[in-house]
């Protein structure tokens, strides 16, 4: 990943702390840095800036503020590094559940910004890859269940073996240039209509 091409949004109400983060990012070669000092309307700013990465610094966040930021994290689907001065186990767990890629307690120093940002991006990419693979596995499992149901219908209605039923579904799918799971689903629907 070309780090200099990253668009980074820094959200921090404290101008001094924001300047530490910004300086750390610029020292690391990041030129496309936008600093936001107002939390109100942050979703609109994210939509406007379209950042690749978001860095949030909350000096002394209350639970409502953290929950608001966690909700933001769930919706933006981008790497988020969050600096806080203090936290507890519950907040750390909530941050992880919300998809915050790096949750750093009492660790805001200029020289730490870049490694933490890099880690946030790596963790986000790894998590996204795992989520994508999980979704593919779920889809594949669901497809197999549908094909199995369709095979069972064919076996019962036409007296076929399981292998013959599968071959018929596969051949029909190839002839119609469709997925075998689509053919199986159509068969299940048709069988349901005939039964009803």
């Amino acid at each position: 990943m070309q780090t200099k091409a990253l668009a980074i949004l820094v959200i921090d109400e404290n101008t001094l702390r924001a300047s530490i983060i910004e300086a750390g990012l610029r020292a690391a070669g990041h030129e496309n840095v936008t600093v936001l000092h107002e939390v109100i309307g942050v979703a609109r700013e994210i939509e406007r800036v379209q950042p690749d990465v978001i860095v949030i610094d909350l000096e002394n966040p209350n639970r409502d503020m953290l929950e608001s930021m966690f909700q933001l994290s769930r919706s933006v689907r981008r790497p988020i590094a969050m600096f806080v001065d203090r936290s507890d186990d519950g907040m750390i767990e909530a941050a992880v559940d919300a998809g915050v890629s790096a949750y750093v307690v009492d660790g805001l120093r200029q020289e730490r910004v870049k490694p933490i940002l890099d880690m946030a991006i790596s963790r986000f990419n790894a998590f996204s890859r795992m989520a994508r693979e999980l979704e593919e596995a779920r889809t594949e499992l669901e497809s197999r269940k549908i094909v199995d149901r369709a095979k069972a219908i064919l076996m019962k209605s036409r007296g076929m073996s399981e292998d013959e039923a599968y071959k018929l579904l596969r051949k029909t799918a190839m002839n119609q240039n469709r997925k075998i799971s689509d053919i199986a689903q159509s068969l299940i629907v048709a069988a349901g209509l005939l039964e009803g």
Side-chain angles (χ1 to χ4, degrees), residues 71-91:
Q71 284 179 358
L72 176 71
S73 176
R74 288 185 198 99
S75 65
V76 297
R77 296 177 183 248
R78 291 179 172 85
I80 293 181
M82 186 176 290
F83 293 88
V84 296
D85 276 357
R86 56 187 166 86
S87 188
D88 56 38
D89 291 345
M91 285 294 104

Side-chain angles (χ1 to χ4, degrees), residues 55-196:
V55 179
I56 301 172
D57 179 50
L58 302 171
E59 190 174 4
N60 287 309
N62 59 34
R63 193 163 282 272
D64 289 344
M65 170 72 83
L66 281 173
E67 184 53 40
S68 167
M69 289 295 118
F70 294 159
Q71 284 179 358
L72 176 71
S73 176
R74 288 185 198 99
S75 65
V76 297
R77 296 177 183 248
R78 291 179 172 85
I80 293 181
M82 186 176 290
F83 293 88
V84 296
D85 276 357
R86 56 187 166 86
S87 188
D88 56 38
D89 291 345
M91 285 294 104
I92 292 170
E93 190 174 318
V96 171
D97 288 347
V100 172
S101 306
Y103 187 76
V104 183
V105 180
D106 194 24
L108 179 58
R109 293 195 307 272
Q110 182 177 330
E111 65 275 12
R112 292 192 70 201
V113 172
K114 182 187 182 321
I116 288 170
L117 188 76
D118 291 345
M119 181 189 68
I121 293 169
S122 292
R123 289 187 67 193
F124 177 82
N125 289 338
F127 182 80
S128 296
R129 187 174 49 252
M130 284 192 305
R132 192 172 47 249
E133 289 170 359
L134 178 62
E135 186 56 35
E136 288 171 1
R138 282 183 180 150
T139 300
E140 178 64 28
L141 182 61
E142 189 59 34
S143 292
R144 284 185 186 186
K145 286 180 182 176
I146 290 170
V147 170
D148 284 347
R149 286 181 56 199
K151 284 191 303 187
I153 290 169
L154 287 173
M155 290 163 65
K156 182 178 176 185
S157 66
R158 297 183 63 178
M160 294 177 151
S161 69
E162 184 176 354
D163 187 51
E164 288 171 334
Y166 180 77
K167 284 180 180 173
L168 178 59
L169 287 170
R170 188 178 65 193
K171 180 180 177 188
T172 304
M174 290 173 62
N175 288 343
Q176 295 185 14
N177 197 24
R178 295 170 61 192
K179 292 180 181 176
I180 192 169
S181 59
D182 293 341
I183 296 296
Q185 183 65 48
S186 296
L187 178 66
I188 292 167
V189 170
L193 290 173
L194 292 174
E195 284 179 3

